[in-house]
Amino acid sequence: MQSLVIEGGTRLRGSLRVNGSKNAALPIMAAALLADGPSLIHDIPDLQDIRSQIELLEKLGVHISRREDGSRTFEVKSETDSHAPYDIVRKMRASICVLGPLLAKRGKVRVSMPGGCAIGDRPVDIHLKGLRALGAKIHLDAGDIIAEAKKLHGTEIFLGGNFGSTVLGTANVMSAATLAHGVTTIESAACEPEVVDLAEYLIAMGAKITGHGTPRIRIEGVTSLHGAEHRIIPDRIEAGTFMVAAAISNGELRLENVRIDHLLAAVEKLREVGVDVEKADRSVIVSSARVLEPTTITTQPHPGFPTDLQAQFMTLLAIAAGNSIVTEKIFPDRFLHVAELSRLGARLHREGSTVIIEGQKRLVGAPVMASDLRASAALVLAGLAARGRTTVNRVYHIDRGYENIEQRLNSVGANIRRVEQAELD
Ligand code: EPU
């Protein structure tokens, strides 16, 4: 197992390119299962979760090749295997997004039911409700979801749940409805940019979709879809993480390939605490004078503040001059970083789904344990700001969502080494 050893206190300065979005790429790759003919997809990041998705799609009969410029082609060569087994799904919950495409295209699918993960129970009941509404017969067998339908039929579907809309649930139902007979209207659809990107890819494949990016998506079914060329949107969560890196290190970063319109809630909060964010073409310049004001943050579905940036912003607020409040409304238990940040001297008090943060002058380096992807990113950020050495253990979590994180941060002045755990013992 590997760890990151961070010598804190250096200022980050320079320029970084933000990669294509992991969470846009995963359902888009799954949607390639719907096409007759090849698709060419640009800017898929090179990450562990993407490699898991490739492994799954190859098992499902998709031929995938990588071009010199990093783009990838996807072409379905065989439709005989429609089983997403536990071994792959347990590594990556997002493999659930093959459910809708396989059902619509092949009429029968078996996908292992994803379990909970470090950030919560994460049920998929709303995905199944939506697919049932389209006419699928669904049952559970030996931990697998089995869904069948000779032909799906368009209908009106309400996809809201107790925690708002569902991103991958919307992706599954929207993808399936593209090949249904008639018109489907999804109400309370997720409005996240990743859902919009998927819709754009599906439209390029010949799907008839309107309303994506709003809570009401209308899909008029077509009889077939063809392959298409598509470029994945920039990763707004990676961009937000690097923005916090600039702010927390009292530095200045120019971030290339950023869609600031996807990040308005986060940018608003950065400005509120005293961080400068300047827009320039498709890039932003983020700089900080380090005297940070406290604030309140509540995570919400898009366009509200994203849950995937909650841990990173909590880290920033840990060194603000005053008390802040962070409330998590999407995954009420997504607080594994709290105990680890406390080891670095952060003063955090959790009450249910709210954390009160007593800002401290400084954090002090210590060994900490990564628990999930975004919590790990938060610990790396904390390590950048902390005095002395921070060792983030179990760093494989961060590799699921950030490509070469230490090399990229080192290129703008960080001091991070990747070591084998054994070297530390
Ligand atoms: N929910 C249900 N039933 C369902 C589906 C969701 O109750 O059938 C609940 C969830 O438990 C949660 C809320 O609805 O409380 C929203 O969950 P959502 O379905 O939107 O999450 P997701 O689609 O499984 C994606 C991202 C997550 C991100 C969330 C929220 C991907 C691959 N994952 O998950 O990203 O946190 O949306 O924005 O797109 C990450 O990248 O670190 C990550 C966890």
Side-chain angles (χ1 to χ4, degrees):
M1 229 179 300
Q2 296 181 323
S3 305
L4 293 179
V5 180
I6 306 162
E7 308 294 340
T10 57
R11 267 185 188 194
L12 302 193
R13 270 184 199 285
S15 170
L16 284 175
R17 181 183 184 273
V18 172
N19 285 343
S21 159
K22 164 182 87 75
N23 288 350
L26 292 169
I28 284 176
M29 292 162 72
L33 287 162
L34 289 162
D36 297 321
S39 283
L40 174 62
I41 308 201
H42 303 280
D43 230 359
I44 297 178
D46 191 9
L47 298 168
Q48 192 47 51
D49 275 9
I50 297 292
R51 290 189 279 274
S52 300
Q53 188 77 327
I54 289 174
E55 184 189 349
L56 174 59
L57 291 174
E58 285 178 339
K59 178 184 181 296
L60 297 171
V62 184
H63 182 262
I64 302 170
S65 60
R66 191 169 194 274
R67 294 193 167 185
E68 232 165 65
D69 64 358
S71 58
R72 293 186 192 263
T73 56
F74 295 76
E75 185 168 12
V76 178
K77 294 286 188 190
S78 157
E79 297 200 324
T80 51
D81 183 350
S82 297
H83 181 200
Y86 183 61
D87 257 7
I88 298 182
V89 178
R90 78 182 161 80
K91 279 193 268 179
M92 192 195 47
R93 299 188 82 267
S95 17
I96 189 72
C97 56
V98 299
L99 183 62
L102 285 177
L103 173 68
K105 188 68 172 38
R106 303 188 187 178
K108 182 164 182 181
V109 46
R110 182 175 191 120
V111 177
S112 176
M113 176 87 132
C117 71
I119 68 177
D121 293 345
R122 307 191 70 184
V124 291
D125 53 318
I126 306 173
H127 301 227
L128 304 188
K129 174 181 127 177
L131 297 175
R132 280 199 178 102
L134 290 174
K137 296 268 173 290
I138 301 182
H139 68 280
L140 265 182
D141 178 47
D144 289 344
I145 300 162
I146 299 179
E148 294 172 74
K150 282 210 173 65
K151 184 75 194 162
L152 297 172
H153 290 275
T155 184
E156 190 170 302
I157 307 172
F158 179 78
L159 272 195
N162 292 344
F163 300 96
S165 49
T166 158
V167 175
L168 291 181
T170 303
N172 260 327
V173 175
M174 179 170 74
S175 299
T178 57
L179 292 182
H181 182 76
V183 173
T184 300
T185 313
I186 305 177
E187 299 285 354
S188 197
C191 302
E192 269 67 5
E194 294 76 17
V195 172
V196 176
D197 205 31
L198 170 62
E200 297 294 350
Y201 172 56
L202 291 167
I203 290 168
M205 293 161 82
K208 293 190 174 160
I209 302 176
T210 54
H212 43 299
T214 79
R216 177 182 292 148
I217 303 179
R218 184 180 186 278
I219 306 126
E220 195 180 323
V222 295
T223 49
S224 66
L225 296 172
H226 49 78
E229 185 170 352
H230 183 77
R231 178 170 296 279
I232 301 289
I233 52 169
D235 194 317
R236 64 193 168 104
I237 306 303
E238 184 174 271
T241 305
F242 288 157
M243 286 177 176
V244 175
I248 210 165
S249 71
N250 199 12
E252 179 170 324
L253 289 181
R254 181 187 194 101
L255 302 176
E256 310 284 348
N257 195 35
V258 174
R259 287 277 304 262
I260 205 163
D261 55 322
H262 292 169
L263 274 160
L264 294 179
V267 166
E268 180 76 12
K269 286 296 162 191
L270 285 172
R271 288 184 174 146
E272 229 174 272
V273 303
V275 176
D276 280 335
V277 183
E278 260 178 62
K279 194 172 164 229
D281 295 332
R282 272 172 84 89
S283 64
V284 288
I285 299 165
V286 184
S287 59
S288 165
R290 188 65 180 261
V291 183
L292 299 168
E293 297 297 324
T295 189
T296 57
I297 292 179
T298 301
T299 65
Q300 285 168 338
H302 191 77
F305 189 92
T307 172
D308 290 343
L309 285 174
Q310 179 253 108
Q312 300 89 317
F313 273 66
M314 188 183 293
T315 308
L316 185 65
L317 296 176
I319 55 164
N323 296 346
S324 300
I325 302 177
V326 168
T327 303
E328 175 56 67
K329 293 266 193 195
I330 310 294
F331 296 111
D333 288 321
R334 191 177 203 175
F335 285 125
L336 283 169
H337 44 284
V338 166
E340 300 302 306
L341 289 173
S342 303
R343 288 179 50 72
L344 303 176
R347 302 273 295 262
L348 309 172
H349 312 276
R350 181 177 169 194
E351 277 293 325
S353 59
T354 294
V355 175
I356 297 163
I357 301 141
E358 260 181 84
Q360 300 297 299
K361 279 224 163 59
R362 65 175 62 90
L363 301 175
V364 180
V368 286
M369 197 67 85
S371 52
D372 77 79
L373 170 55
R374 308 303 171 188
S376 321
L379 295 175
V380 171
L381 294 171
L384 291 175
R387 199 171 56 188
R389 175 176 296 179
T390 298
T391 305
V392 181
N393 295 307
R394 291 206 197 139
V395 54
Y396 58 85
H397 286 291
I398 207 166
D399 294 332
R400 289 187 38 220
Y402 297 86
E403 194 176 325
N404 294 330
I405 184 81
E406 75 280 18
Q407 286 171 27
R408 292 161 81 200
L409 290 176
N410 286 347
S411 76
V412 290
N415 182 350
I416 308 178
R417 273 182 305 127
R418 183 179 289 252
V419 298
E420 291 301 327
Q421 179 89 40
E423 289 177 38
L424 295 169
D425 295 339

